[in-house]
Amino acid sequence: MTKADYDGPILEIENLSISFFTRLREIPAVMDFSCTVQPGEAMGLVGESGCGKSTVALGVMQDLGVNGRIVGGTIKFKGRDLNQMTPEELRDIRGSEIAMIYQEPMASLNPAMRIGKQLMEVPMIHEGVDEKEAYARALEVVTDVRLPDPERMLNSYPHQLSGGQQQRIVIAMALMSKPSLLILDEPTTALDVTVEAAVVELVKDLGKKYGTSMLFISHNLGLVLETCDRLCVMYSGEAVETGSIEDVFDHMQHPYTQALFRSIPLPGADKNARPLVAIPGNFPLPHERPPGCNFGPRCDYFESGRCDASDIKMAQVPGNDRHSTRCLKFEEIDWNAPIVAASTTEKTEPGDVVLKMDGLKKYYEVAANALFGGGNKKVVKANESLSFEARESETLAIVGESGCGKSTFAKVLMGLETATEGQILLDNQSIEDVPIEARDTKTVSNVQMVFQNPFDTLNPSMTVGRQIIRALEIFGIGNNEAEREQKMLELLDLVKLPREFATRMPRQLSGGQKQRVGIARAFAGGARIVVADEPVSALDVSVQAAVTDLLMEIQRNEKTTLLFISHDLSIVRYLSDRVMVMYLGHVVEIGDTEQVFAPPYHPYTEALLSAVPIADTSIEKQHIVLEGDIPSAMNPPPGCPFQTRCRWKDKVPGGLCEKDVPPMRTIEGGHQIKCHLSEETLAAMEPVIKIAAE
């Protein structure tokens, strides 16, 4: 049978159950899972970590390792049961008919082999074509995935490409043999939003061009809305709701789907008036699942004796397009009832200026030939004349793509690096030249940091309580051990962790719980300023809401200044009072949140807003995909740092953008933009995000 002959569903999974076997027990990872992908259709698989999304994908690839086994149900690809195939038949199908793209592009590339050779291998192995034709096809797909200078790309090694370019090569490799099914496992998690937008656009276009069906695994509902036709929501190993994007987003019929949407910051959420609602409780471990409905213990509509009586099967939702839900009560629940608001809070007024930066610059000198130290010195301009103020009780968000200088500026503030030029005033004291080891205890405890990855910041061999007490000792808090012990327990209360966690080791905690310990440590010394560097990007959606609200609550009570570094503009819009946008070491726009999220924008802010996926079908967005990659800070472009990717450049006469760095200018209400565009052009900008009229 050729690829073109088959016209039924590409993928049919029926009542699939997958378990992993350890010496102690069988661990069921996926139970009674069914889904169908039709030709040319994109199916999204959504859920939190540990819900079984990737296990389903590995089941389709028949790649469950030594311990994994399919213990029930079938997976049919084009009508043939994959479980019944011989290893030889599977080898023919994998890579040629079913291709998979993983989260980390470097895991799929051979670092010692040129890109062209890796791409040419696919058709040469699977289809036996000669080298000349394989090269022609490699050149075609590299052009298809919109990489600049395709010949140079084919001649490069993987380490010479940026993350976004590597991911495009992996997509090109997957498309080399024109597969019927493409499985994408969180393919954009490690990428910047602007690169993510371009990759997603690319996957959609290529899906249309090649007629490929897709299984798109993600925890980002906005991304699934933009890429898929249908979706399947998973919770704790089971599919709990499946249907078309419109049905599931606008007429959800499962309490977990509803709870997920309530915990993500959509336009209109407000940290004071309409706070997010976190899902109570924790995700069950595979061998501790409750009887009956897995979501029961965390569900607002749980009914004892009914929801926990027996296993629950998927039920059809009448009147919708193949829409089904695993809920006994879906016809009794009022899905349109307004959310009972959690406690609303008063907006806190910012106090005095706590932090002031004036003309801060940070340059690094690197040898042109870094390996042998010879050659000329080159300068990396990581930060260029940053100037801003941050007040007490205020949240200032700092946004921009990787490499824009956000983390460098945080390091200088923390004293891990010293400034090249300019001034940092903390409570009117100058600290830009004082490295951390020379700072007094009060300054160290005044400026604290919550890091992106909670797994790397805790000592694995020390109990949680001991790590917090260690911070208290360093900050000189408490006169004796007993006082510090008491303060540590109060800090656990503050971050809403049970006091018995004091004796636990980090490995016994989930990601969200570890992040809370990190927050407790940062606030242990009564910090004046907390730098939160992407503090929720490594966490699940439902945990994000709880951790974000916790940060806000502590900040309100302690009157702390929060510098929130992030590339997720949805969360920035929800919790920040002011926003500072950075690009290539420059601050290109700064203003309060309303000003930055409404026109006039800096052209870069406009592109950032357009790139953010929003999980709301009533939103209309302008479509702006940035061309090209971010220039290197070692070799920045002349004139305006953004001019190489700006779509407004031709509106400025005389090539000014390529000659001069634009001045920072203040528009109304203290809103500042660093751009050469005229006042009239800026004023005429259209809003990027519009809520469609009902």
Side-chain angles (χ1 to χ4, degrees):
M1 178 168 69
T2 65
K3 289 187 189 181
D5 293 342
Y6 184 76
D7 62 353
I10 295 293
L11 183 69
E12 276 177 288
I13 303 178
E14 275 186 43
N15 310 112
L16 176 70
S17 295
I18 297 175
S19 290
F20 289 90
F21 292 86
T22 66
R23 281 177 307 194
L24 295 174
R25 58 167 80 89
E26 173 188 347
I27 297 175
V30 173
M31 294 93 65
D32 184 33
F33 177 86
S34 301
C35 92
T36 306
V37 183
Q38 299 292 347
E41 194 170 69
M43 165 71 87
L45 210 49
V46 179
E48 301 171 87
S49 13
C51 72
K53 313 184 290 290
S54 297
T55 307
V56 169
L58 293 172
V60 174
M61 294 299 279
Q62 296 286 312
D63 181 19
L64 291 164
V66 189
N67 300 337
R69 278 211 293 281
I70 293 177
V71 292
T74 56
I75 305 176
K76 287 183 180 163
F77 173 69
K78 294 189 171 180
R80 296 171 65 200
D81 189 342
L82 290 169
N83 222 7
Q84 306 297 323
M85 289 189 186
T86 63
E88 287 71 31
E89 289 177 306
L90 281 171
R91 199 174 309 131
D92 284 346
I93 281 186
R94 278 194 207 120
S96 67
E97 295 234 21
I98 305 178
M100 185 155 176
I101 294 169
Y102 295 90
Q103 186 166 351
E104 184 45 69
M106 269 315 272
S108 313
L109 296 172
N110 180 340
M113 212 170 159
R114 293 186 196 274
I115 298 286
K117 206 148 179 51
Q118 299 191 48
L119 289 172
M120 285 158 64
E121 272 188 347
V122 182
M124 286 166 79
I125 290 170
H126 284 293
E127 298 166 49
V129 305
D130 63 13
E131 208 164 314
K132 192 169 174 214
E133 189 186 329
Y135 183 80
R137 285 204 7 210
L139 202 58
E140 183 195 350
V141 288
V142 171
T143 313
D144 269 353
V145 295
R146 306 198 192 112
L147 280 166
D149 197 350
E151 272 110 347
R152 184 175 64 81
M153 284 290 160
L154 292 180
N155 211 21
S156 304
Y157 287 99
H159 70 267
Q160 295 170 306
L161 275 55
S162 70
Q165 290 173 336
Q166 287 172 359
Q167 193 60 291
R168 284 168 191 230
I169 290 292
V170 173
I171 292 171
M173 200 184 286
L175 291 166
M176 276 302 282
S177 54
K178 306 195 170 44
S180 309
L181 177 67
L182 188 56
I183 302 174
L184 301 107
D185 189 358
E186 303 260 10
T188 57
T189 309
L191 306 176
D192 274 314
V193 273
T194 50
V195 182
E196 176 179 84
V199 168
V200 164
E201 177 79 0
L202 173 75
V203 168
K204 272 171 32 188
D205 288 356
L206 294 172
K208 285 195 191 86
K209 176 175 174 180
Y210 292 114
T212 311
S213 304
M214 287 191 270
L215 191 60
F216 193 97
I217 298 173
S218 180
H219 62 265
N220 184 331
L221 287 160
L223 212 52
V224 168
L225 169 68
E226 293 190 358
T227 43
C228 299
D229 310 303
R230 303 180 62 74
L231 90 155
C232 173
V233 181
M234 287 186 77
Y235 180 79
S236 188
E238 295 180 323
V240 293
E241 182 165 10
T242 177
S244 70
I245 292 285
E246 286 73 21
D247 287 344
V248 178
F249 273 61
D250 298 339
H251 309 290
M252 55 194 74
Q253 298 287 314
H254 194 281
Y256 175 61
T257 316
Q258 184 185 50
L260 264 187
F261 274 92
R262 288 179 175 179
S263 66
I264 54 179
L266 296 172
D270 177 305
K271 64 180 177 184
N272 298 309
R274 283 193 49 202
L276 301 180
V277 183
I279 305 176
N282 285 318
F283 200 77
L285 291 169
H287 54 280
E288 293 174 357
R289 292 191 175 108
C293 175
N294 281 345
F295 188 58
R298 306 175 72 187
C299 177
D300 292 344
Y301 310 104
F302 179 75
E303 192 180 314
S304 182
R306 182 177 169 195
C307 297
D308 52 7
S310 61
D311 283 352
I312 296 167
K313 297 283 176 220
M314 289 294 257
Q316 283 295 319
V317 177
N320 283 353
D321 170 27
R322 291 178 285 148
H323 185 184
S324 50
T325 174
R326 196 181 293 273
C327 178
L328 294 174
K329 303 180 66 173
F330 75 93
E331 293 182 293
E332 303 159 30
I333 294 170
D334 177 4
W335 295 104
N336 298 319
I339 303 175
V340 178
S343 55
T344 54
T345 50
E346 288 297 309
K347 186 176 184 321
T348 47
E349 284 307 315
D352 299 335
V353 173
V354 177
L355 178 72
K356 185 174 180 358
M357 281 205 185
D358 202 3
L360 178 83
K361 291 185 180 181
K362 176 64 188 171
Y363 294 171
Y364 294 98
E365 272 200 353
V366 289
N369 183 343
L371 193 56
F372 303 108
N376 306 325
K377 292 273 191 202
K378 279 197 165 181
V379 174
V380 176
K381 299 182 173 181
N383 286 152
E384 278 282 14
S385 4
L386 297 189
S387 299
F388 69 91
E389 292 177 347
R391 298 170 184 277
E392 186 177 85
S393 299
E394 176 177 69
T395 303
L396 172 68
I398 298 150
V399 295
E401 296 168 278
S402 359
C404 72
K406 312 186 290 282
S407 298
T408 302
F409 129 77
K411 283 178 187 164
V412 176
L413 177 59
M414 298 291 297
L416 300 171
E417 302 274 1
T418 51
T420 308
E421 220 179 275
Q423 204 178 28
I424 303 179
L425 295 174
L426 172 65
D427 287 331
N428 280 332
Q429 266 188 319
S430 175
I431 57 166
E432 68 281 346
D433 295 331
V434 189
I436 192 151
E437 56 274 18
R439 290 186 176 182
D440 59 57
T441 309
K442 186 164 176 6
T443 309
V444 172
S445 64
N446 269 342
V447 187
Q448 283 295 302
M449 193 154 182
V450 178
F451 295 90
Q452 177 168 3
N453 195 339
F455 305 93
D456 297 343
T457 53
L458 298 180
N459 181 337
S461 56
M462 231 188 220
T463 64
V464 165
R466 190 70 230 141
Q467 305 204 35
I468 297 175
I469 289 174
R470 181 95 188 81
L472 294 169
E473 284 169 357
I474 291 168
F475 300 151
I477 286 174
N479 297 319
N480 52 40
E481 195 62 22
E483 283 186 17
R484 282 193 277 273
E485 182 91 16
Q486 182 54 35
K487 176 74 175 157
M488 178 268 293
L489 293 171
E490 286 165 11
L491 281 162
L492 286 177
D493 295 343
L494 182 72
V495 295
K496 298 188 168 54
L497 282 176
R499 287 187 166 197
E500 54 269 25
F501 273 39
T503 55
R504 290 204 184 172
M505 301 303 270
R507 65 170 187 276
Q508 296 169 290
L509 273 55
S510 70
Q513 290 164 342
K514 284 182 186 165
Q515 195 58 295
R516 286 165 188 252
V517 177
I519 292 171
R521 259 189 341 191
F523 283 94
R528 304 269 291 141
I529 296 173
V530 169
V531 182
D533 189 358
E534 303 262 11
V536 293
S537 64
L539 305 176
D540 273 317
V541 188
S542 60
V543 183
Q544 280 187 4
V547 171
T548 312
D549 277 351
L550 173 72
L551 265 175
M552 306 282 47
E553 188 182 322
I554 298 176
Q555 182 205 19
R556 266 194 292 270
N557 298 338
E558 309 277 325
K559 295 198 168 8
T560 316
T561 304
L562 190 64
L563 299 184
F564 191 87
I565 298 177
S566 181
H567 66 262
D568 179 348
L569 287 172
S570 308
I571 227 151
V572 163
R573 182 175 203 161
Y574 169 66
L575 61 80
S576 61
D577 303 309
R578 286 169 66 235
V579 181
M580 175 163 108
V581 183
M582 287 183 71
Y583 184 81
L584 213 59
H586 292 258
V587 174
V588 293
E589 180 165 5
I590 186 166
D592 63 42
T593 310
E594 289 309 310
Q595 290 169 337
V596 173
F597 277 80
Y601 311 107
H602 186 280
Y604 176 57
T605 312
E606 179 189 52
L608 271 186
L609 288 171
S610 156
V612 177
I614 298 173
D616 188 337
T617 52
S618 66
I619 292 287
E620 285 176 13
K621 275 197 316 186
Q622 263 195 69
H623 195 67
I624 304 158
V625 171
L626 283 183
E627 296 300 323
D629 284 310
I630 304 178
S632 156
M634 214 185 277
N635 189 14
C640 170
F642 187 59
Q643 53 102 346
T644 55
R645 302 168 81 194
C646 182
R647 67 187 196 126
W648 292 87
K649 192 163 74 170
D650 52 4
K651 296 265 193 297
V652 177
L656 196 58
C657 298
E658 288 158 25
K659 285 191 252 172
D660 299 335
V661 175
M664 185 60 113
R665 57 182 212 247
T666 305
I667 320 170
E668 58 188 307
H671 180 190
Q672 295 180 303
I673 296 182
K674 193 182 239 186
C675 185
H676 285 304
L677 287 173
S678 68
E679 299 272 341
E680 296 75 50
T681 311
L682 284 172
M685 279 185 162
E686 292 283 311
V688 173
I689 298 169
K690 289 190 194 132
I691 298 183
E694 286 294 313

